[in-house]
């Protein structure tokens, strides 16, 4: 006799906010395939709907008579996740106030969507399945004949192609991407029998990097700090309660080696590992090190892969062929059957917060997943987030232990670099008008003379600009709100984003064009482009050093980051000039100089994390210097030399920054001492958005009442008050650290009177407040 089984199924319907599952009968013929994690076809409100199985049980809930329960119609895709993942998905939905289907979708097989749709009103509903397209599967290899082949003197492309193939076979698509026009060359070479082109069945998406420095040579001996960290991780892993180990290690202390060893131990216990890195294209070196240690046991998952590539990598994991998953935050959802460890590298990075639904933070999901699966969570950083430091200080958080291990020394003979802070207001007073101060210009020349390498950071924030005094560095503030006024080029106006007041530049401060601080007339919209710096740099260094510019413009195509880094790697003397993207993860021992052109632009952003982000950035970029035998020097140019974030970097002392920062956060009840959620509303009609936001604010206020630790701010215009013609307003909610903000806000928004045409997004633990 077989049992009648029931499945809890979440219907995926775009038009309705689904916050719970519905019960269906599992017919006998589907008993084997209709498991937790399966995608199925069911009937919902008299039509076919795609749904996801999140639970199986022996009787239906909701007080339904078993014979009234509708059957599952078809199983559309086999299981993509297990019971643990189903629990985590439900938690994500509650915690981050998103619908259940939104929370489940990240767990599904990538590159394939299933929906029941109809083309237009009145048409029949139809199941539509979209699968990712095929990719170019042709591979090019050298034949034995290549050894004796001499290209003619002018056949330079042939020589390049042959050189590129010397390290092994390459995909045709990749070859044409690196060497444009090589397709023709390849077919000429193939005719001569020098190369062979063949179709291979292969797994897409595994390529990472050919940087020579991306090999993880096993060190002969681990440092004592490394041993300590590995021991702490081992203990956490063996206890299996979802413990968190924060590896707080200075740049170059060997954290990556700690991760590698910890993963080795986990694998030898028969358990897999997930490693998150902030952005794959920027951390190719780190990823390469995992691949070189674990080979084909590694799957790579990130957004720059095509959907076909992503599917292949994901499938490797599901089939159990790859037990180490390295990737961006979405790698958390990989279908590993056993999990010993989750590692989050550079855990302080803002990119771990997803900015569209589900708006989760990878650290929080990972902590939850670790508890659920009984594994350990390792957070690594040279500049841990204030949240993680605070939780370690408490010793436990959310039902798990939080352990702090520190690695204060660099590996081997490498020392932390010498830091110099250059006060740019003095440079200006002394007549300097270049983007390079005297000390930085001299250091660059010295570096070029010694034929070494330098990294130069141009700190550029998003869209906001500031008017700044070039003499004293003062930035005009709102007389009513004490927050920096942003400068709007188009209207030539200064605006306060707290109170919304604005002044034409000429009328501020009543009615002078002079600096409010020192009365100087040198007020300028501050912000230089990488292009200008590149030009000045070439003027300064001439041909003595290669200049490699890395910014949003020069890294548009797939694999371009990579190629620029390879150029930097191969050069004998070069400057890598770039925006924020060059600050992370690079490990080039020949870099002896790091320059920061403008340290303080991010300090002035109207965001409570502005100082923390600046500190992190400076500390990270400074960490690129002196990783090898030669000592490193760091020169930081700033108009705000006295700011604690800059002083802390200068003195290699985090507490210089933490002390005042934590005091301010505590006073304002900001994270880590409170939670901050942001509800944004947008639409074409300003009036409708205004009504909707007022309604939301009123209902949240009503629910919150006078509860301790809660505060509702707004509604007010967003800092980005208009995007793509949509007017934007927001309501901010502060809550105690342990409050269920998500549930309260989800209910509030459901009850609020939100006019048609107005969209709403709830962002719990928001990072982007603009
Ligand atoms: P972090 O991630 O902390 O910045 P890395 O893991 O990149 O540091 O290590 C810095 C450098 O030191 C790397 O080139 C790495 O190969 C090397 N290294 C790490 N551990 C050891 C060790 N125990 N002995 C020798 N070299 C090591
Ligand atoms: Zn104001
Ligand atoms: Zn001034």
């Amino acid at each position: 006799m077989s049992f009648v089984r029931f499945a809890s199924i979440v219907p995926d319907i775009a038009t309705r906010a689904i916050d719970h599952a519905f019960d269906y009968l599992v017919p006998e013929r589907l008993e084997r395939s209709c498991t937790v994690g399966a995608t199925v076809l069911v009937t919902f409100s008299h039509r076919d709907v795609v749904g996801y199985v999140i639970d199986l049980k022996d009787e239906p809930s909701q007080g339904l008579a078993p014979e009234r329960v509708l059957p599952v119609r078809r199983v559309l895709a086999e299981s993509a996740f297990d019971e643990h993942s189903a629990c985590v998905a439900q938690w994500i939905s509650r915690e981050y106030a998103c619908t259940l289907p939104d929370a489940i979708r990240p767990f599904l097989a990538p590159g394939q969507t299933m929906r029941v749709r109809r083309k237009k009103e009145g048409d029949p509903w139809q199941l539509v399945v979209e699968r990712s397209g095929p990719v170019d599967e042709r591979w090019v290899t050298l034949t034995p004949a290549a050894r004796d082949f001499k290209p003619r003197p002018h056949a330079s492309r042939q020589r390049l192609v042959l050189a590129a193939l010397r390290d092994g076979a390459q995909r045709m698509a990749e070859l044409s991407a690196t060497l444009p026009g090589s397709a023709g060359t390849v077919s000429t070479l193939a005719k001569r029998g020098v190369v062979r082109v063949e179709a291979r069945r292969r797994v897409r998406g595994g390529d990472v990097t050919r940087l020579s420095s991306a090999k993880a040579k096993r060190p002969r001996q681990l440092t004592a700090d490394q041993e300590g960290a590995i021991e702490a991780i081992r203990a956490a892993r063996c206890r299996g309660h979802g413990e968190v180990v924060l590896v707080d290690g200075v740049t170059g202390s060997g954290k990556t080696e700690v991760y590698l060893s910890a993963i080795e131990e986990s694998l030898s216990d028969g358990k897999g590992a997930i490693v998150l890195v902030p952005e794959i294209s920027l951390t190719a070196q780190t990823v390469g090190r995992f691949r070189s240690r674990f080979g084909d046991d590694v799957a790579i998952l990130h957004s720059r892969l095509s959907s076909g590539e992503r599917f292949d990598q994901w499938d490797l994991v599901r089939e159990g062929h790859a037990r180490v998953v390295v990737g961006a935050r979405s790698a958390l959802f990989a279908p590993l059957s056993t999990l010993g460890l989750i590692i989050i590298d550079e855990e302080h990075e803002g990119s771990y917060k997803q900015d569209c639904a589900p708006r989760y933070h990878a650290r929080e999901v990972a902590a939850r997943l670790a508890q659920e699966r009984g594994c350990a969570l390792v957070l690594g950083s040279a500049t841990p987030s204030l949240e993680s430091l605070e939780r370690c200080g408490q010793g436990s958080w959310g039902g798990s232990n939080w352990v702090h291990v520190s690695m204060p020394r660099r590996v081997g003979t490498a020392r932390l670099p010498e830091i110099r802070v250059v006060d740019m207001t003095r440079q200006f007073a002394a007549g300097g008008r270049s983007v390079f101060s005297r000390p930085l210009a001299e250091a660059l020349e010295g570096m070029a003379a010694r034929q070494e390498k330098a990294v130069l950071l141009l700190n550029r924030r998003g869209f906001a600009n500031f008017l700044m005094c070039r003499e004293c560095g003062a930035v005009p503030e709102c007389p009513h709100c004490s927050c920096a006024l942003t400068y709007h080029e188009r209207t030539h106006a200064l605006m306060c984003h707290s109170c919304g007041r604005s002044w034409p530049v000429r009328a501020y401060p009543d009615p002078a064009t002079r600096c409010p601080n020192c009365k100087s007339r040198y007020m300028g919209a501050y912000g230089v482009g990488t292009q200008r710096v590149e030009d000045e740099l070439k003027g300064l260094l001439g041909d003595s050093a290669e200049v490699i510019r890395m910014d949003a413009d020069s890294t548009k195509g797939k694999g371009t980051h990579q190629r620029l880094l390879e150029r930097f790697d191969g050069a004998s003397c070069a400057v890598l000039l770039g925006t924020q993207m060059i600050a992370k993860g690079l490990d080039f021992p020949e870099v002896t100089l790091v320059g920061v052109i403008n340290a303080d632009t991010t300090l002035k952003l109207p965001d409570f994390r502005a100082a923390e982000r600046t500190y992190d950035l400076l500390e990270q970029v400074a960490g690129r210097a002196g990783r090898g035998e030669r000592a490193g020097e760091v020169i930081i140019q700033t108009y705000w030399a006295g700011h604690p974030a800059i002083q802390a970097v200068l003195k290699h002392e985090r507490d210089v920054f933490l002390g005042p920062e934590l005091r301010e956060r505590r006073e304002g009840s900001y994270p880590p001492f409170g939670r901050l959620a942001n509800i944004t509303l947008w639409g074409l009609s300003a009036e409708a958005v205004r009504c909707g936001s007022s309604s939301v604010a009123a209902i949240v206020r009503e629910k919150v009442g006078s509860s301790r630790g809660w505060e509702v701010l707004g509604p007010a215009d967003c800092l980005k008050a208009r995007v793509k013609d949509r007017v934007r307003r927001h309501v901010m909610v502060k809550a105690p650290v342990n409050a269920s903000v998500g549930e309260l806000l989800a209910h509030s928004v459901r009850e609020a009177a939100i006019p048609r045409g107005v969209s709403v997004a709830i962002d719990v633990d928001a990072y982007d407040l603009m």
Side-chain angles (χ1 to χ4, degrees), residues 501-715:
R501 289 184 175 85
S502 91
W503 295 263
V505 169
R506 258 175 299 104
Y508 180 90
D510 331 88
T513 37
R514 288 168 185 269
C515 168
N517 185 36
C518 72
K519 309 295 172 224
S520 147
R521 255 178 296 141
Y522 288 104
M523 297 289 284
Y526 196 59
V528 266
T530 38
Q531 204 92 53
R532 171 160 166 221
V533 180
E534 186 182 13
D535 292 346
E536 277 205 29
L537 197 55
K538 284 184 170 153
L540 183 73
L541 300 180
D543 293 332
S544 59
E546 197 176 336
V547 176
I548 297 160
R549 179 163 62 89
M550 204 157 135
D551 56 19
D553 291 333
S554 71
T555 55
K556 268 195 196 115
K558 188 174 172 173
T560 42
H561 276 109
Q562 266 281 102
R563 251 162 278 139
L564 291 173
L565 290 180
E566 280 163 23
R567 249 179 77 201
F568 186 60
D569 194 31
S572 54
C573 172
V575 182
L576 180 64
L577 159 68
T579 48
Q580 268 73 336
M581 63 176 72
I582 63 167
K584 288 165 208 154
L586 303 184
D587 183 24
F588 294 106
E590 321 85 71
V591 172
T592 53
L593 172 67
V594 165
V596 179
I597 292 172
N598 48 350
D600 31 32
T601 40
T602 40
L603 271 181
K604 289 172 178 161
L605 278 181
D607 178 333
F608 75 92
R609 284 196 178 87
E612 183 182 0
R613 287 193 179 128
T614 308
Y615 171 75
D616 292 351
L617 177 67
L618 295 178
E619 196 61 36
Q620 294 288 340
V621 73
R624 301 310 115 210
R627 295 170 76 88
E629 277 158 20
R630 273 177 280 183
E633 181 182 22
V634 178
I635 297 182
I636 298 173
Q637 302 188 154
T638 176
Y639 285 93
W640 203 345
H643 192 284
I646 289 173
Q647 288 294 315
V649 176
L650 173 66
K651 295 179 180 144
H652 289 300
E653 218 168 303
R654 190 190 292 155
D655 285 345
V656 171
F657 158 70
L658 275 186
E661 183 66 22
L662 288 174
R663 216 171 306 127
E664 267 181 43
R665 299 269 187 108
R666 196 186 287 277
E667 275 163 19
S669 302
Y670 281 109
F673 304 108
R675 301 187 78 174
L676 182 68
N678 191 24
I679 310 167
T680 308
L681 297 95
W682 67 97
L684 288 168
S685 153
E687 186 48 36
V689 174
R690 190 167 284 278
C691 285
S693 60
S694 303
S695 168
V696 169
I699 289 179
V700 178
R701 282 207 167 86
E702 190 186 302
K703 286 194 188 297
V704 165
S706 54
S707 313
R708 241 187 104 114
W710 288 78
E711 193 182 343
V712 184
L713 308 162

Side-chain angles (χ1 to χ4, degrees), residues 478 480-481 496 498-499 501:
C478 174
H480 309 276
C481 309
C496 170
S498 275
C499 67
R501 289 184 175 85

Side-chain angles (χ1 to χ4, degrees), residues 338-385:
T338 63
L339 192 57
L341 266 185
I342 306 172
I343 293 169
I344 305 187
D345 190 25
E346 312 286 6
E347 68 92 21
H348 61 279
E349 275 287 321
S351 61
Y352 285 124
K353 181 73 158 73
Q354 173 144 302
D355 56 7
C356 56
R359 293 181 170 74
Y360 65 91
H361 196 299
R363 179 179 51 228
E364 310 306 320
V365 174
R368 191 74 196 188
L369 197 60
Q371 273 182 345
E372 184 66 45
R373 316 235 348 204
C375 69
L377 169 61
V378 176
L379 305 174
S381 178
T383 53
S385 62

